[in-house]
Amino acid sequence: MELLIKDRLYIPAFLPKEGSFKDFNTKKSILSKIEITQDEREAVGLKENAETKRIEWDVEKDTPLVVDFSADEMQYLKTSCEKISDQSLPDDMWQTVEKLYNAIQEPEKES
């Protein structure tokens, strides 16, 4: 699955804040896979705008990160997407949810 900086910033926001120890470890594994490294931050100019409190970066320099999630991680992400389906979120956040959910559904169709 290819994830852009925006996706990698949004994913932690819709993962559950609490759960079982297994959930905690699954979430920790997902977060480590999508972490934005210091080198990436510098390459795209990732920073917080002090005036607007928004995170900004040069989207032209954004290179997708290819991430391979385990079956447990995919199930955790799918469940997380389903749990927030009734919430009110910005459209671009829904785009990330949709991208994840669709990518998770693809392997299931092939089975």
Side-chain angles (χ1 to χ4, degrees), residues 1 9 11 20-21 23 31 36 38-39 46 50-51 57 61 63 68 75 78 95 99 105-106:
M1 175 181 317
L9 290 170
I11 289 171
S20 68
F21 187 64
D23 291 343
L31 295 177
I36 302 168
Q38 190 59 41
D39 288 345
L46 185 71
E51 291 177 19
W57 66 95
K61 295 180 181 176
T63 305
D68 289 321
Q75 184 57 49
K78 179 180 178 186
Q95 290 170 347
K99 176 192 281 190
Q105 299 293 63
E106 290 303 314

PDB file of all heavy atoms in Angstrom, residues 1 9 11 20-21 23 31 36 38-39 46 50-51 57 61 63 68 75 78 95 99 105-106:
ATOM      1  N   MET A   1       0.851  -1.170   0.000  1.00  0.00           N
ATOM      2  CA  MET A   1       0.000   0.000   0.000  1.00  0.00           C
ATOM      3  C   MET A   1       0.900   1.237   0.000  1.00  0.00           C
ATOM      4  O   MET A   1       1.872   1.294   0.740  1.00  0.00           O
ATOM      5  CB  MET A   1      -0.880  -0.035   1.255  1.00  0.00           C
ATOM      6  CG  MET A   1      -1.729   1.167   1.457  1.00  0.00           C
ATOM      7  SD  MET A   1      -2.742   1.134   2.968  1.00  0.00           S
ATOM      8  CE  MET A   1      -3.354  -0.519   2.997  1.00  0.00           C
ATOM      9  N   LEU A   9       0.033  11.122   8.426  1.00  0.00           N
ATOM     10  CA  LEU A   9      -0.319  12.026   9.523  1.00  0.00           C
ATOM     11  C   LEU A   9      -1.730  11.745  10.036  1.00  0.00           C
ATOM     12  O   LEU A   9      -2.001  11.875  11.227  1.00  0.00           O
ATOM     13  CB  LEU A   9      -0.224  13.486   9.064  1.00  0.00           C
ATOM     14  CG  LEU A   9       1.184  14.028   8.811  1.00  0.00           C
ATOM     15  CD1 LEU A   9       1.114  15.394   8.139  1.00  0.00           C
ATOM     16  CD2 LEU A   9       1.987  14.096  10.100  1.00  0.00           C
ATOM     17  N   ILE A  11      -3.555   8.736   9.788  1.00  0.00           N
ATOM     18  CA  ILE A  11      -3.816   7.396  10.317  1.00  0.00           C
ATOM     19  C   ILE A  11      -3.808   7.346  11.848  1.00  0.00           C
ATOM     20  O   ILE A  11      -4.741   6.806  12.444  1.00  0.00           O
ATOM     21  CB  ILE A  11      -2.872   6.348   9.692  1.00  0.00           C
ATOM     22  CG1 ILE A  11      -3.257   6.127   8.221  1.00  0.00           C
ATOM     23  CG2 ILE A  11      -2.923   5.022  10.463  1.00  0.00           C
ATOM     24  CD1 ILE A  11      -2.272   5.289   7.429  1.00  0.00           C
ATOM     25  N   SER A  20      -6.978  -3.672  23.921  1.00  0.00           N
ATOM     26  CA  SER A  20      -6.272  -4.767  24.588  1.00  0.00           C
ATOM     27  C   SER A  20      -4.762  -4.612  24.384  1.00  0.00           C
ATOM     28  O   SER A  20      -4.305  -3.784  23.587  1.00  0.00           O
ATOM     29  CB  SER A  20      -6.738  -6.104  24.018  1.00  0.00           C
ATOM     30  OG  SER A  20      -6.298  -6.224  22.670  1.00  0.00           O
ATOM     31  N   PHE A  21      -4.001  -5.456  25.074  1.00  0.00           N
ATOM     32  CA  PHE A  21      -2.546  -5.424  24.909  1.00  0.00           C
ATOM     33  C   PHE A  21      -2.168  -5.784  23.475  1.00  0.00           C
ATOM     34  O   PHE A  21      -1.258  -5.195  22.896  1.00  0.00           O
ATOM     35  CB  PHE A  21      -1.871  -6.370  25.916  1.00  0.00           C
ATOM     36  CG  PHE A  21      -0.383  -6.264  25.916  1.00  0.00           C
ATOM     37  CD1 PHE A  21       0.248  -5.078  26.288  1.00  0.00           C
ATOM     38  CD2 PHE A  21       0.405  -7.349  25.558  1.00  0.00           C
ATOM     39  CE1 PHE A  21       1.632  -4.962  26.287  1.00  0.00           C
ATOM     40  CE2 PHE A  21       1.795  -7.245  25.557  1.00  0.00           C
ATOM     41  CZ  PHE A  21       2.407  -6.050  25.926  1.00  0.00           C
ATOM     42  N   ASP A  23      -4.012  -5.187  20.831  1.00  0.00           N
ATOM     43  CA  ASP A  23      -4.334  -3.987  20.047  1.00  0.00           C
ATOM     44  C   ASP A  23      -3.219  -2.957  20.166  1.00  0.00           C
ATOM     45  O   ASP A  23      -2.815  -2.336  19.188  1.00  0.00           O
ATOM     46  CB  ASP A  23      -5.652  -3.363  20.504  1.00  0.00           C
ATOM     47  CG  ASP A  23      -6.858  -4.206  20.178  1.00  0.00           C
ATOM     48  OD1 ASP A  23      -6.759  -5.116  19.329  1.00  0.00           O
ATOM     49  OD2 ASP A  23      -7.924  -3.964  20.787  1.00  0.00           O
ATOM     50  N   LEU A  31       2.197   2.169  13.646  1.00  0.00           N
ATOM     51  CA  LEU A  31       2.778   3.505  13.786  1.00  0.00           C
ATOM     52  C   LEU A  31       4.266   3.513  13.450  1.00  0.00           C
ATOM     53  O   LEU A  31       4.756   4.474  12.847  1.00  0.00           O
ATOM     54  CB  LEU A  31       2.528   4.053  15.190  1.00  0.00           C
ATOM     55  CG  LEU A  31       1.053   4.314  15.535  1.00  0.00           C
ATOM     56  CD1 LEU A  31       0.909   4.776  16.974  1.00  0.00           C
ATOM     57  CD2 LEU A  31       0.436   5.321  14.579  1.00  0.00           C
ATOM     58  N   ILE A  36       7.219   9.112  10.075  1.00  0.00           N
ATOM     59  CA  ILE A  36       7.886  10.034   9.155  1.00  0.00           C
ATOM     60  C   ILE A  36       9.263  10.326   9.740  1.00  0.00           C
ATOM     61  O   ILE A  36       9.371  10.913  10.820  1.00  0.00           O
ATOM     62  CB  ILE A  36       7.071  11.327   8.963  1.00  0.00           C
ATOM     63  CG1 ILE A  36       5.675  10.989   8.439  1.00  0.00           C
ATOM     64  CG2 ILE A  36       7.800  12.280   8.018  1.00  0.00           C
ATOM     65  CD1 ILE A  36       4.689  12.137   8.491  1.00  0.00           C
ATOM     66  N   GLN A  38      13.192  11.767  10.213  1.00  0.00           N
ATOM     67  CA  GLN A  38      13.774  13.109  10.196  1.00  0.00           C
ATOM     68  C   GLN A  38      14.247  13.475   8.789  1.00  0.00           C
ATOM     69  O   GLN A  38      14.073  14.604   8.345  1.00  0.00           O
ATOM     70  CB  GLN A  38      14.930  13.201  11.204  1.00  0.00           C
ATOM     71  CG  GLN A  38      15.435  14.609  11.419  1.00  0.00           C
ATOM     72  CD  GLN A  38      14.353  15.570  11.917  1.00  0.00           C
ATOM     73  OE1 GLN A  38      13.540  15.223  12.755  1.00  0.00           O
ATOM     74  NE2 GLN A  38      14.338  16.774  11.378  1.00  0.00           N
ATOM     75  N   ASP A  39      14.836  12.513   8.081  1.00  0.00           N
ATOM     76  CA  ASP A  39      15.287  12.774   6.710  1.00  0.00           C
ATOM     77  C   ASP A  39      14.114  13.137   5.803  1.00  0.00           C
ATOM     78  O   ASP A  39      14.211  14.048   4.977  1.00  0.00           O
ATOM     79  CB  ASP A  39      16.015  11.550   6.133  1.00  0.00           C
ATOM     80  CG  ASP A  39      17.392  11.343   6.750  1.00  0.00           C
ATOM     81  OD1 ASP A  39      17.905  12.280   7.403  1.00  0.00           O
ATOM     82  OD2 ASP A  39      17.954  10.247   6.576  1.00  0.00           O
ATOM     83  N   LEU A  46       8.700  19.519   6.089  1.00  0.00           N
ATOM     84  CA  LEU A  46       7.577  19.340   7.015  1.00  0.00           C
ATOM     85  C   LEU A  46       7.786  20.194   8.258  1.00  0.00           C
ATOM     86  O   LEU A  46       8.808  20.091   8.928  1.00  0.00           O
ATOM     87  CB  LEU A  46       7.466  17.858   7.399  1.00  0.00           C
ATOM     88  CG  LEU A  46       6.275  17.461   8.267  1.00  0.00           C
ATOM     89  CD1 LEU A  46       4.989  17.529   7.452  1.00  0.00           C
ATOM     90  CD2 LEU A  46       6.466  16.066   8.808  1.00  0.00           C
ATOM     91  N   ALA A  50       3.449  28.425  12.578  1.00  0.00           N
ATOM     92  CA  ALA A  50       3.207  28.990  13.904  1.00  0.00           C
ATOM     93  C   ALA A  50       1.914  29.807  13.959  1.00  0.00           C
ATOM     94  O   ALA A  50       1.231  29.816  14.982  1.00  0.00           O
ATOM     95  CB  ALA A  50       4.394  29.853  14.324  1.00  0.00           C
ATOM     96  N   GLU A  51       1.569  30.485  12.866  1.00  0.00           N
ATOM     97  CA  GLU A  51       0.371  31.324  12.844  1.00  0.00           C
ATOM     98  C   GLU A  51      -0.912  30.501  12.781  1.00  0.00           C
ATOM     99  O   GLU A  51      -1.850  30.740  13.526  1.00  0.00           O
ATOM    100  CB  GLU A  51       0.410  32.281  11.654  1.00  0.00           C
ATOM    101  CG  GLU A  51       1.471  33.351  11.766  1.00  0.00           C
ATOM    102  CD  GLU A  51       1.516  34.227  10.527  1.00  0.00           C
ATOM    103  OE1 GLU A  51       0.544  34.253   9.756  1.00  0.00           O
ATOM    104  OE2 GLU A  51       2.556  34.893  10.337  1.00  0.00           O
ATOM    105  N   TRP A  57       3.972  21.105   4.274  1.00  0.00           N
ATOM    106  CA  TRP A  57       5.114  20.503   3.604  1.00  0.00           C
ATOM    107  C   TRP A  57       4.955  20.716   2.114  1.00  0.00           C
ATOM    108  O   TRP A  57       3.893  21.099   1.638  1.00  0.00           O
ATOM    109  CB  TRP A  57       5.250  19.022   3.943  1.00  0.00           C
ATOM    110  CG  TRP A  57       4.132  18.167   3.435  1.00  0.00           C
ATOM    111  CD1 TRP A  57       4.091  17.457   2.268  1.00  0.00           C
ATOM    112  CD2 TRP A  57       2.868  17.921   4.072  1.00  0.00           C
ATOM    113  NE1 TRP A  57       2.888  16.810   2.144  1.00  0.00           N
ATOM    114  CE2 TRP A  57       2.123  17.071   3.240  1.00  0.00           C
ATOM    115  CE3 TRP A  57       2.298  18.341   5.272  1.00  0.00           C
ATOM    116  CZ2 TRP A  57       0.842  16.639   3.563  1.00  0.00           C
ATOM    117  CZ3 TRP A  57       1.028  17.904   5.586  1.00  0.00           C
ATOM    118  CH2 TRP A  57       0.320  17.063   4.741  1.00  0.00           C
ATOM    119  N   LYS A  61       7.299  17.325  -3.383  1.00  0.00           N
ATOM    120  CA  LYS A  61       8.437  16.477  -3.006  1.00  0.00           C
ATOM    121  C   LYS A  61       7.992  15.244  -2.228  1.00  0.00           C
ATOM    122  O   LYS A  61       8.820  14.450  -1.809  1.00  0.00           O
ATOM    123  CB  LYS A  61       9.432  17.289  -2.169  1.00  0.00           C
ATOM    124  CG  LYS A  61      10.073  18.425  -2.928  1.00  0.00           C
ATOM    125  CD  LYS A  61      11.035  19.181  -2.043  1.00  0.00           C
ATOM    126  CE  LYS A  61      11.670  20.341  -2.799  1.00  0.00           C
ATOM    127  NZ  LYS A  61      12.534  21.137  -1.926  1.00  0.00           N
ATOM    128  N   THR A  63       7.066  11.753  -1.602  1.00  0.00           N
ATOM    129  CA  THR A  63       7.237  10.459  -2.255  1.00  0.00           C
ATOM    130  C   THR A  63       6.457   9.418  -1.457  1.00  0.00           C
ATOM    131  O   THR A  63       6.665   9.295  -0.252  1.00  0.00           O
ATOM    132  CB  THR A  63       8.728  10.066  -2.287  1.00  0.00           C
ATOM    133  OG1 THR A  63       9.469  11.119  -2.901  1.00  0.00           O
ATOM    134  CG2 THR A  63       8.938   8.775  -3.047  1.00  0.00           C
ATOM    135  N   ASP A  68       3.861  -2.563   3.820  1.00  0.00           N
ATOM    136  CA  ASP A  68       3.226  -3.890   3.822  1.00  0.00           C
ATOM    137  C   ASP A  68       2.737  -4.161   5.234  1.00  0.00           C
ATOM    138  O   ASP A  68       3.545  -4.315   6.152  1.00  0.00           O
ATOM    139  CB  ASP A  68       4.210  -4.980   3.389  1.00  0.00           C
ATOM    140  CG  ASP A  68       4.545  -4.894   1.912  1.00  0.00           C
ATOM    141  OD1 ASP A  68       3.626  -4.613   1.120  1.00  0.00           O
ATOM    142  OD2 ASP A  68       5.715  -5.103   1.554  1.00  0.00           O
ATOM    143  N   GLN A  75      -6.498  -6.051   9.648  1.00  0.00           N
ATOM    144  CA  GLN A  75      -7.773  -6.223  10.350  1.00  0.00           C
ATOM    145  C   GLN A  75      -7.987  -5.098  11.350  1.00  0.00           C
ATOM    146  O   GLN A  75      -9.084  -4.562  11.476  1.00  0.00           O
ATOM    147  CB  GLN A  75      -7.812  -7.588  11.061  1.00  0.00           C
ATOM    148  CG  GLN A  75      -9.148  -7.873  11.726  1.00  0.00           C
ATOM    149  CD  GLN A  75     -10.324  -7.822  10.745  1.00  0.00           C
ATOM    150  OE1 GLN A  75     -10.282  -8.414   9.685  1.00  0.00           O
ATOM    151  NE2 GLN A  75     -11.369  -7.089  11.092  1.00  0.00           N
ATOM    152  N   LYS A  78      -8.900  -2.005   9.406  1.00  0.00           N
ATOM    153  CA  LYS A  78     -10.266  -2.140   8.888  1.00  0.00           C
ATOM    154  C   LYS A  78     -11.276  -1.851   9.995  1.00  0.00           C
ATOM    155  O   LYS A  78     -12.226  -1.078   9.807  1.00  0.00           O
ATOM    156  CB  LYS A  78     -10.481  -3.548   8.328  1.00  0.00           C
ATOM    157  CG  LYS A  78     -11.882  -3.774   7.794  1.00  0.00           C
ATOM    158  CD  LYS A  78     -12.047  -5.181   7.254  1.00  0.00           C
ATOM    159  CE  LYS A  78     -13.465  -5.394   6.773  1.00  0.00           C
ATOM    160  NZ  LYS A  78     -13.716  -6.767   6.366  1.00  0.00           N
ATOM    161  N   GLN A  95     -10.745  10.677   2.618  1.00  0.00           N
ATOM    162  CA  GLN A  95     -10.015  10.127   1.474  1.00  0.00           C
ATOM    163  C   GLN A  95      -8.964   9.114   1.940  1.00  0.00           C
ATOM    164  O   GLN A  95      -8.779   8.069   1.319  1.00  0.00           O
ATOM    165  CB  GLN A  95      -9.360  11.241   0.660  1.00  0.00           C
ATOM    166  CG  GLN A  95     -10.356  12.089  -0.085  1.00  0.00           C
ATOM    167  CD  GLN A  95      -9.737  13.336  -0.705  1.00  0.00           C
ATOM    168  OE1 GLN A  95      -8.612  13.709  -0.403  1.00  0.00           O
ATOM    169  NE2 GLN A  95     -10.503  13.987  -1.563  1.00  0.00           N
ATOM    170  N   LYS A  99      -8.981   5.191   1.131  1.00  0.00           N
ATOM    171  CA  LYS A  99      -7.807   4.558   0.532  1.00  0.00           C
ATOM    172  C   LYS A  99      -7.414   3.307   1.322  1.00  0.00           C
ATOM    173  O   LYS A  99      -7.181   2.250   0.747  1.00  0.00           O
ATOM    174  CB  LYS A  99      -6.624   5.540   0.521  1.00  0.00           C
ATOM    175  CG  LYS A  99      -5.335   4.937  -0.008  1.00  0.00           C
ATOM    176  CD  LYS A  99      -4.125   5.794   0.250  1.00  0.00           C
ATOM    177  CE  LYS A  99      -4.014   6.931  -0.709  1.00  0.00           C
ATOM    178  NZ  LYS A  99      -2.721   7.646  -0.618  1.00  0.00           N
ATOM    179  N   GLN A 105      -9.727  -4.210   1.436  1.00  0.00           N
ATOM    180  CA  GLN A 105     -10.756  -5.048   0.798  1.00  0.00           C
ATOM    181  C   GLN A 105     -10.194  -5.847  -0.375  1.00  0.00           C
ATOM    182  O   GLN A 105     -10.653  -6.935  -0.663  1.00  0.00           O
ATOM    183  CB  GLN A 105     -11.927  -4.196   0.298  1.00  0.00           C
ATOM    184  CG  GLN A 105     -12.637  -3.440   1.390  1.00  0.00           C
ATOM    185  CD  GLN A 105     -13.377  -4.348   2.355  1.00  0.00           C
ATOM    186  OE1 GLN A 105     -12.794  -5.167   3.056  1.00  0.00           O
ATOM    187  NE2 GLN A 105     -14.675  -4.205   2.406  1.00  0.00           N
ATOM    188  N   GLU A 106      -9.200  -5.307  -1.074  1.00  0.00           N
ATOM    189  CA  GLU A 106      -8.647  -5.965  -2.265  1.00  0.00           C
ATOM    190  C   GLU A 106      -8.135  -7.380  -1.984  1.00  0.00           C
ATOM    191  O   GLU A 106      -8.502  -8.303  -2.689  1.00  0.00           O
ATOM    192  CB  GLU A 106      -7.538  -5.105  -2.898  1.00  0.00           C
ATOM    193  CG  GLU A 106      -8.040  -3.845  -3.556  1.00  0.00           C
ATOM    194  CD  GLU A 106      -9.076  -4.097  -4.636  1.00  0.00           C
ATOM    195  OE1 GLU A 106      -8.880  -4.984  -5.468  1.00  0.00           O
ATOM    196  OE2 GLU A 106     -10.117  -3.397  -4.626  1.00  0.00           O
TER     197      GLU A 106
END
